[in-house]
Amino acid sequence: MSIIDQVKNIFSPKKTDALSSEQDSRLSLATPDPSMNHVSVLDTVGQGSDSSGPMAMGSGGNERQETAASVVKSDSNLIRLPMFGSKTIGDHQRQLSIMLVISLAVLAGLLIYALNQASKTAQQLSATGQSLMQSQRLAKSVSQAMTGNQPAFAEVKESSGVLGKAVKGLKSGDDELKISALEADFGPDLDSIVPMVEKAEKSAGAVMSQQKVLTQVNAALRQINRQSSDLLEIAESISSLKLQQNAGPSEISAAGQLVMLTQRIGKSSNEFLTSEGVGAEAVFLLGKDLNAFKEIAVGMQQGSAELRLSAARDPQVKEQLDALLK
């Protein structure tokens, strides 16, 4: 028998129920069946009217038979289900329909709640991932910005802004980013992170305020690096000419110092700006070497009693010294 047939059998009246109802109607007044109350009352009325004669007894018997038949008929339409009791098919259907509607409403509410919780958690995880990524990006871009790299300043500004918004959103919520505040269990961790993020934002702002100076210094240092190879070439030409002319020891030594200083100037310029900031030692050496380079070159061109150098007389040496000083 299929499941559909079994369900039909549950809701269809059975003959055995009708027979049992007819038998129960014939029981005595002591039977605790509620359906027999109608018959019991009629029997009592009929017994009270026995003194009226055979006509009264006949009419009372007919009434009892009609009442019993109606009780049997009404009982045959009742169906007993577990947890629902004995009711008609229509009553059972209405009750089951109400329960189905309530169950669907509860299910829809649980589904909406679960989706909201999942969306909330996803936004919080996204903000946490953004915080981790932007913190690493900020450290990298600041190191590049300190060396005067122009594109790095845009990254510093973007990273510091996103990092600050994400962490503050996790702390107290952010409607713009659609981030809900984390639970109270994360409060101690956020309390220790927020001051560090604020300090990072402040430091990033300080770097951004020096953008113009840092980019100008970087451009100047790059120019020194590009010119160092030309300086070296000219200084070596001067030293070679002095050797060919059998110049004095002081002049040959001065030409050698020019060759050495061209290399040290390039090295100091490379160490001037680093990811950790301005190198104090490199700044000192660069300034010292530039002054010494200029002093020696001018002394070889115009003469210097302090350096024991005489003025250059050879046209080729003068030309090279002019190009070097320029």
Side-chain angles (χ1 to χ4, degrees):
M1 182 182 296
S2 63
I3 297 176
I4 299 177
D5 294 336
Q6 293 179 2
V7 173
K8 290 182 177 180
N9 290 334
I10 292 175
F11 289 96
S12 62
K14 299 179 181 180
K15 295 181 179 180
T16 55
D17 294 339
L19 293 176
S20 60
S21 299
E22 184 177 358
Q23 292 176 358
D24 291 341
S25 65
R26 298 174 183 176
L27 296 177
S28 63
L29 293 174
T31 302
D33 190 353
S35 63
M36 296 303 296
N37 291 336
H38 302 287
V39 181
S40 302
V41 174
L42 292 176
D43 290 341
T44 304
V45 175
Q47 291 176 2
S49 60
D50 286 344
S51 58
S52 300
M55 295 297 294
M57 292 179 62
S59 61
N62 292 333
E63 290 178 358
R64 286 196 299 272
Q65 290 178 359
E66 291 176 357
T67 303
S70 64
V71 170
V72 171
K73 183 177 180 181
S74 62
D75 289 343
S76 64
N77 294 328
L78 297 179
I79 298 176
R80 179 178 293 275
L81 292 178
M83 300 178 63
F84 294 99
S86 298
K87 295 180 181 180
T88 61
I89 295 176
D91 292 338
H92 281 304
Q93 288 178 344
R94 283 190 295 271
Q95 189 171 7
L96 289 174
S97 299
I98 294 172
M99 292 184 65
L100 178 61
V101 172
I102 295 174
S103 300
L104 291 176
V106 172
L107 180 61
L110 291 175
L111 181 61
I112 293 173
Y113 175 78
L115 291 176
N116 289 334
Q117 288 296 110
S119 177
K120 175 182 175 181
T121 304
Q123 292 293 339
Q124 291 174 344
L125 288 175
S126 177
T128 305
Q130 282 288 335
S131 301
L132 291 172
M133 187 270 288
Q134 295 298 338
S135 63
Q136 301 300 314
R137 185 188 181 198
L138 178 61
K140 177 183 177 182
S141 57
V142 165
S143 299
Q144 295 178 351
M146 288 298 297
T147 61
N149 188 6
Q150 182 67 31
F153 289 96
E155 295 182 2
V156 170
K157 183 177 180 180
E158 180 182 359
S159 298
S160 61
V162 174
L163 177 62
K165 284 186 177 181
V167 173
K168 291 176 183 177
L170 292 173
K171 174 67 177 178
S172 57
D174 192 324
D175 296 335
E176 182 180 355
L177 299 178
K178 298 181 180 180
I179 301 175
S180 301
L182 289 175
E183 292 75 10
D185 297 339
F186 299 93
D189 294 330
L190 288 173
D191 291 338
S192 62
I193 292 174
V194 169
M196 292 188 290
V197 172
E198 293 177 350
K199 185 177 180 180
E201 287 182 311
K202 184 178 180 180
S203 300
V207 173
M208 292 296 299
S209 65
Q210 300 297 323
Q211 178 179 358
K212 183 177 180 180
V213 175
L214 291 172
T215 52
Q216 288 178 348
V217 171
N218 181 54
L221 294 175
R222 289 179 179 273
Q223 185 177 2
I224 292 175
N225 284 328
R226 288 193 299 266
Q227 292 178 348
S228 62
S229 60
D230 297 333
L231 293 174
L232 176 60
E233 183 179 355
I234 297 173
E236 287 178 343
S237 299
I238 295 173
S239 177
S240 176
L241 290 173
K242 289 295 184 180
L243 289 174
Q244 291 176 6
Q245 296 172 2
N246 295 323
S250 59
E251 294 182 356
I252 294 176
S253 175
Q257 287 183 358
L258 289 178
V259 175
M260 181 271 296
L261 288 174
T262 57
Q263 300 301 303
R264 204 159 75 174
I265 288 173
K267 179 177 179 294
S268 299
S269 65
N270 289 329
E271 297 176 354
F272 192 99
L273 284 179
T274 64
S275 60
E276 298 179 357
V278 178
E281 183 178 359
V283 172
F284 173 76
L285 288 176
L286 182 60
K288 179 182 177 181
D289 293 341
L290 287 172
N291 291 330
F293 188 87
K294 183 177 181 180
E295 183 181 359
I296 294 173
V298 171
M300 293 183 68
Q301 183 188 39
Q302 301 177 2
S304 174
E306 183 179 357
L307 299 176
R308 298 179 181 180
L309 296 174
S310 59
R313 294 183 178 87
D314 185 74
Q316 292 182 348
V317 174
K318 284 185 176 182
E319 183 181 357
Q320 295 294 331
L321 288 172
D322 291 341
L324 192 65
L325 289 172
K326 184 178 180 180

